[in-house]
Amino acid sequence: MSYAVRTPQRPLPGAYIQTPAGNRQQSASTIQPSFPSTSSISQQQNAPQTSGPLQPAQSTTKTAPETLSTIERASRTINETLNQELKYPELDTYVGQGISSDYDIANQPAWAPFQKDKVYQIPDKIFEQYNRAQVSTMMGLFAEINHAWIVIDNACYLWDYTHPNPDLIGYEDQPNSITAVRLTTPRQGVFVPSINQLLIVATTTEMILVGMSSQKTAQGDRAVALYQLRMSIPIKGMDINVIEGSAATGRIFFSGRNDEDVYELTYQQEEKWFQNRCNRINHTTQGISAFQPSFTLSRRVPQDFAAQMAIDDTRRLVYTLSSRSTIRVYHMNVKGGLDLVISRSLGTILGDIGHMTSQSDLISTSMRIVAIHPIPSQEATKLHLMVTTSTGCRVFMSAVSSYGYAITDHSNAPSSMKVHHVRFPPSEPSLPRNNQYQSSTQMTTYGSSHGIDISSKSLRPTRSATRYSPGYFFCFVAKDPQAGMDALFMAAPDVGRIARPQEESRLTRYSELGLWVSLGSRTEDIGLVSPPFSAASSPTGFANELAVQFDKPATEVAILTNTGVHTFRRRRLVDMFAAAIRYGGGDEGLEGEVKRFIQRYGRAETAATALAVACGQGLDVIPDARVAMVADREVLEYARKAFIDFGGKPFFMESSVVDQTVPAIDMVRPSPRHKGLSLYVARLTRSIWTARVAQESVSPTGGIMVLPTIRLSTLQDIQRDLTKLQEFLSANKSFIEGLAGPEALGRVSTKHDEVALQAEHRALHSLVVLISKIIEGISFVLVLFDERIEEIVVLLANEARQHLRNLTYEGLFCSNNGRDLAKELVKAIVNRNIANGSNVETVAEALRRRCGSFCSAEDVLIFKAQEQLKKAGEAGSGSDFGRNLLNESLRLFKQVAASLSTEQLHWAVQQYISMQFYAGAIQLALDVAKEMDRGNRALTWIQDGQPEQDSRAAAFRLRKVCYDLVHQVITTLDQTSNQEAEVVDGQYTLASKRKAEAYDVIDTSDDEVFQNDLYDWYLAKGRADRLLEIQSPYIITYLQRKSSDDVTYADLLWRYYSQADRFHDAAAVQLALAKSAFALPLDKRIEYLSRAKANASTFPPGIGRQARQTLLREVSDLLDVANLQDDILQRLKGDSRIIPARKVEVVKQLDGPILTLNELYNNYADQASYFDLCILIYQAADHRNPIDIKATWQNLFEHTHQVTLDRGEPQPYEAVVEQIRSLGGRLNLSETTFPISDLVPLLEQYAYEFQRGVGPPTWVLDTFLDIQVPYESIFPVLEGMFYNDEAPFQARNRRYIANDILYLVQRWFHDNSRGSGPLFGDDSNAIAILQTLQMLQQNGLDEDKIEECQALRIKIDHRFR
């Protein structure tokens, strides 16, 4: 096998680059140092700027390579971005203890924080009524309902100031002059739901509650109606001037000019005993008295009274500002009371300020406090109140507990209040400026006033002021009291700079954008038209206007003057950027404006803003006073160029590399362009990202209702904006670095650049994919709620239904579980439409067209297959039409086998089983299993022995689910077929045909993993015989692999071979079993060897003679050894010399694996004096040492003799004879282990010395002759013994040998006489025998044997002649 030569790669410090760069000109030997050098520092200065706290945090050190999918990476990016957006500094962090005066006063309209929207003229009808005034008039705004009001003597008139010709709504039902008017929210449950506002009218004699219904019409206008509630309280002589209501509790507080008490108007639905529907409670008389001096002044002073009242529902506090600039704080306790907890006079406030700054004309006893503004707890933790002085200073105050700690539990009342920060007015417009943006010095900390203008009179005298969250400041300055005209100064936090401090080591500056506007008239009132601002529910992130640019309307404020209503709109950063481009003046102007944006807000925020403008998010007030989308082609083109050209580059963080195991691509920080894109996507989707898709409720009739948590119109708006973004990225991808495609790699020159480009592409591509997923996901939600979703939900399983309750949009867009649930819902939609008779193809195609990833082409085929399957059930599976439908459904299912879920497969298989389409059920399950593991990893796992903790095991488990379904089919099939006959009237039944079809699919399957699992299942069910019937090439492989671990499989393997007439293979398996380490007894091993010997003795085709003989020899040799081991085992079992404990141990050793001959001889046979077995071991081992063999025979005779004597029976010679006969047969009269030349003398000597006169005199020779020892072998031995004259056969004892020779020759002659062959084999033997007989006759025979010898000689001589 050849391998492609890989390009050698240049190492980087702490990194391994996977892909070599093209067009590389740099020398490979140049290695950058890992420590900062001069060049690296300059590179870092040219690197993309960080974007401050609002940008996703990028980790510079990785401990392990990331394995995130594309969508997971994008999801992580969005989550990090949203989390970072929530870290926008809270008010306390940049309004720290000290003083400040940091403003940027806009000289260009593009940079103005607010933009004048419209001016609504006061209707002529109002002037007509005004001209009739006799006593007093007042004007004000109910901006939240787009209405203004005017009081003329005893009448109050309301009109919709946005309407060109509004109708007057008048309240004229009482005769007294009106002194104060207030609109508040009623307490819930007191009035009917249609009365959602209370108009409180204070006159000189009574305070009246008037019900108000304010509803939006279809045209977007407000329909307002007043209702007489007949609820009032007497207040004669109190001269009410201040009324305030708590929106959270519905409580109403008021105060008059004649005292400084705070009263509450209580109201209830019905009268009770001793309690009217309306009552008045004085909460403060005793409390105020406690703070008053006990002495009285000598001269009369004006009465102090409450000039303003404000309520902070978030902290349950009520603030009052007296006419003498005393601030009082009341706490609304849980019991419904109102407790005075703090009173701060102007003198004490001035004393606090004196510790913070040097003497200033703006902070003196001549000033007064003109307004108080509560700061809600969601906006700040420490700061509670902002007050505005007549000199234009803003004083931020914090309330603390008696121990000096900040209040965190709002059920507890504060006990002290102190000045925290003083914000001085901006420098006067007449002061010289260095550039077109007036910016004073930065904020200084406590105890220092260096560089801050503390003497500016630009806001002097301030007549009134208002603050709205998150810091919008409106200050009305009476520059020309004579003319009765106010100058308006507006300021708003510069959120981009606050979010991105210029120097991270320094505290965040309180930066504001300011704007001067001339109203041309006197201001009467100001109101907030839009809902109160809130970007988060906690102080951190609360004021982040950047985050909500695209999902919340811009703040709008209405200002009522004596000439009309002026509306001002807060300009978003995206609006300011669009305006800066519009007024920039060509390419040079554009570049200057963009660079200014980058300098102020960072590259990432600039990229996000430019992208938003390019996608049509910029708004501007056009000449006809309408707010319209900026669609100027030049503006959009400039924004596009800004995003592409000023988006920065990715940065390889080489100097921060620590772990060399991390891939180099993970060491790249994506470009600010990528951060800008992630910011824009996160801001578009922030309102839905963590929201749940649906919520369940109970309908009035008791049924289930499923409602969207996000309005469908909001989803459509988000989808439309994302679609524009998708189109923009698609149209400009060739210009955007990271999306340009592979051709961009040709422009890189270093490996660093290439890796950085790859990382940039990975990051941008993941966001592009996510955008597509979100668009499709929203389409799916819209489709879902277009249907009758309640009917769809009830079709879901309980688990899926619970998942739907908990499903968030992020989960729907980014998680596999969410997409799986969406597919379940799509399936439920299709099933419901099928049940209603709709065409499944039409429904599925509509779903696929609107949300393709949730209903793909494969899903359409699945739905078609399911429809065919249901139609087959209706038509009947036994009919030809029904069978065709089943086959068609199977064909469709097989096309989408890779896309079928487990539930869909299970449903289809169950349907097939119910229709007895067994072959189709099995085939479908097998196809799905194969598609689940296309790489066949499960097979390699099985072949490797199924190791634990292996990732490939997961692939097998997936396939196992499908195989279990096949097992279920087989079980049902066998049960059904067993109940019916196979053949009826000579024809196969339908059941038998279906069984044959099913088993044909099984037997012909090439899925080896399935075959292995099937065989396991058969064995687990006790159906081993089924394996012997299978004709599959995989059964042998399976049994071979399993046989190494389990003897059961090895037994099946040789049985399978035997059944298939493969006797040689069967013998090899049996031999291996006999030699195996399985816990097999010795007799079982001998059985295997015996069978193996029989199988190896056959002549199977295809097996060579040499291979057969080699196997047969090995089997035979091992069988001999096994038999010897069995002899030893049986002998030891009956040996009484061995103690029981030792016998158990020895038997265990021998009754198992076959031992070697050395072990048998040395450890058992020799030690136990089993000499006969030792001789047999010599034979098996081919041991040829005659001395050892002879000694063992001699020991055998002696041992046998002694044992027989000890036993008492039989005669010792008989036992010896039996040993000779037994061994002679087993040794096959071997010349080495059964040496006649040694055995005859030994036995003759034994007979003479131990058995003389016992038994027949010729028993020695009879023993040898009976076991077919040839005469030719015995005669020379006896002849040698006779002539050698060895002990004990010496002298006269030679006659014993002579007699045996005579007896041997007699029997030899007798046996030869019956045959026709030569006498004694040949003539030479006959001559030698005649000579020996002559010698015996002359010397050696007994007297009675001489005549027999003579007669024998005569017979031999006669025959010989």
Side-chain angles (χ1 to χ4, degrees), residues 649-664:
K649 294 184 177 182
F651 181 62
F652 190 90
M653 298 177 291
E654 178 183 349
S655 60
S656 62
V657 173
V658 175
D659 190 351
Q660 295 189 357
T661 63
V662 178

Side-chain angles (χ1 to χ4, degrees), residues 710-772:
I710 304 295
R711 290 185 304 175
L712 298 184
S713 59
T714 301
L715 293 176
Q716 291 169 340
D717 291 342
I718 295 173
Q719 186 184 45
R720 181 178 60 253
D721 292 338
L722 286 172
T723 302
K724 291 181 180 178
L725 174 60
Q726 186 183 49
E727 293 171 352
F728 173 85
L729 294 175
S730 177
N732 295 278
K733 64 181 180 180
S734 58
F735 307 106
I736 299 174
E737 184 175 334
L739 291 180
E743 59 273 11
L745 291 174
R747 296 193 291 268
V748 299
S749 58
T750 66
K751 188 171 291 184
H752 279 183
D753 293 342
E754 181 183 6
V755 175
L757 184 61
Q758 290 174 350
E760 180 79 357
H761 170 75
R762 184 178 70 171
L764 287 176
H765 175 69
S766 66
L767 290 177
V768 171
V769 173
L770 176 62
I771 292 168
S772 176

Side-chain angles (χ1 to χ4, degrees), residues 743-1009:
E743 59 273 11
L745 291 174
R747 296 193 291 268
V748 299
S749 58
T750 66
K751 188 171 291 184
H752 279 183
D753 293 342
E754 181 183 6
V755 175
L757 184 61
Q758 290 174 350
E760 180 79 357
H761 170 75
R762 184 178 70 171
L764 287 176
H765 175 69
S766 66
L767 290 177
V768 171
V769 173
L770 176 62
I771 292 168
S772 176
K773 297 291 185 183
I774 296 175
I775 293 172
E776 282 197 347
I778 292 176
S779 292
F780 169 74
V781 175
L782 296 175
V783 169
L784 189 63
F785 286 101
D786 282 347
E787 301 283 336
R788 294 184 60 84
I789 187 172
E790 290 82 3
E791 296 180 4
I792 297 169
V793 169
V794 298
L795 297 176
L796 298 176
N798 290 333
E799 183 178 0
R801 189 168 172 179
Q802 183 60 40
H803 286 168
L804 177 60
R805 295 189 188 103
N806 299 328
L807 179 65
T808 64
Y809 281 93
E810 178 192 3
L812 176 65
F813 302 149
C814 305
S815 72
N816 292 330
N817 291 336
R819 302 186 73 78
D820 292 342
L821 178 59
K823 289 189 175 183
E824 286 293 320
L825 290 167
V826 168
K827 184 171 67 175
I829 293 173
V830 174
N831 290 337
R832 186 181 70 87
N833 282 277
I834 292 175
N836 293 339
S838 302
N839 183 274
V840 63
E841 189 169 356
T842 303
V843 175
E845 185 61 30
L847 288 169
R848 190 184 67 80
R849 190 169 54 252
R850 295 185 64 178
C851 43
S853 62
F854 297 103
C855 183
S856 60
E858 290 78 9
D859 293 329
V860 175
L861 289 178
I862 292 173
F863 296 142
K864 287 182 180 180
Q866 291 173 338
E867 184 182 36
Q868 297 285 51
L869 193 50
K870 290 181 179 179
K871 288 182 179 180
E874 297 171 357
S877 60
S879 64
D880 291 341
F881 180 62
R883 204 68 177 176
N884 290 335
L885 290 174
L886 286 174
N887 287 323
E888 177 62 16
S889 69
L890 176 61
R891 185 186 68 81
L892 294 173
F893 275 133
K894 290 173 67 176
Q895 291 182 27
V896 292
S899 303
L900 281 179
S901 66
T902 303
E903 292 76 12
Q904 290 169 335
L905 173 63
H906 187 271
W907 179 84
V909 169
Q910 295 301 323
Q911 294 297 314
Y912 284 150
I913 292 176
S914 65
M915 300 179 197
Q916 297 187 348
F917 190 35
Y918 305 115
I922 295 171
Q923 186 64 63
L924 178 58
L926 294 180
D927 286 353
V928 173
K930 185 175 293 187
E931 290 295 333
M932 285 181 172
D933 181 26
R934 288 190 173 185
N936 223 4
R937 299 174 72 241
L939 179 59
T940 61
W941 178 70
I942 292 174
Q943 291 172 344
D944 291 344
Q946 302 181 2
E948 297 182 359
Q949 304 300 326
D950 194 301
S951 60
R952 295 173 295 176
F956 175 78
R957 287 192 292 270
L958 287 175
R959 299 177 76 153
K960 186 70 170 64
V961 174
C962 304
Y963 300 151
D964 289 341
L965 291 175
V966 176
H967 302 161
Q968 183 180 349
V969 176
I970 295 174
T971 301
T972 306
L973 171 61
D974 290 345
Q975 291 174 352
T976 304
S977 60
N978 291 338
Q979 296 173 359
E980 300 182 18
E982 289 190 11
V983 180
V984 176
D985 297 334
Q987 299 290 329
Y988 286 104
T989 62
L990 183 60
S992 64
K993 291 180 180 179
R994 290 175 176 172
K995 181 177 181 179
E997 291 175 355
Y999 275 105
D1000 181 65
V1001 174
I1002 294 172
D1003 294 339
T1004 58
S1005 173
D1006 60 354
D1007 187 347
E1008 187 172 352
V1009 180

Side-chain angles (χ1 to χ4, degrees), residues 550 574 607-618 629-631 635-637 639-640 643 677 680-681 684 720-730 732 771:
F550 312 118
V574 64
T609 307
L611 179 61
V613 173
C615 293
Q617 290 286 357
M629 184 179 298
V630 176
V635 173
L636 299 182
E637 177 61 20
R640 183 191 73 85
F643 176 74
L677 176 59
Y680 184 51
V681 175
L684 287 178
R720 181 178 60 253
D721 292 338
L722 286 172
T723 302
K724 291 181 180 178
L725 174 60
Q726 186 183 49
E727 293 171 352
F728 173 85
L729 294 175
S730 177
N732 295 278
I771 292 168

Side-chain angles (χ1 to χ4, degrees), residues 36 191 292 602 824 838 908 1112 1161 1299:
F191 307 106
Q292 295 293 332
E824 286 293 320
S838 302
L1112 179 60
Y1161 180 83
N1299 292 336

Side-chain angles (χ1 to χ4, degrees), residues 4-12 16-22 24 26-29 751 754:
V5 178
R6 301 183 66 180
T7 305
Q9 299 173 3
R10 179 170 59 87
L12 291 174
Y16 298 97
I17 310 302
Q18 283 73 30
T19 309
R24 186 177 290 111
Q26 186 175 354
S27 173
S29 62
K751 188 171 291 184
E754 181 183 6

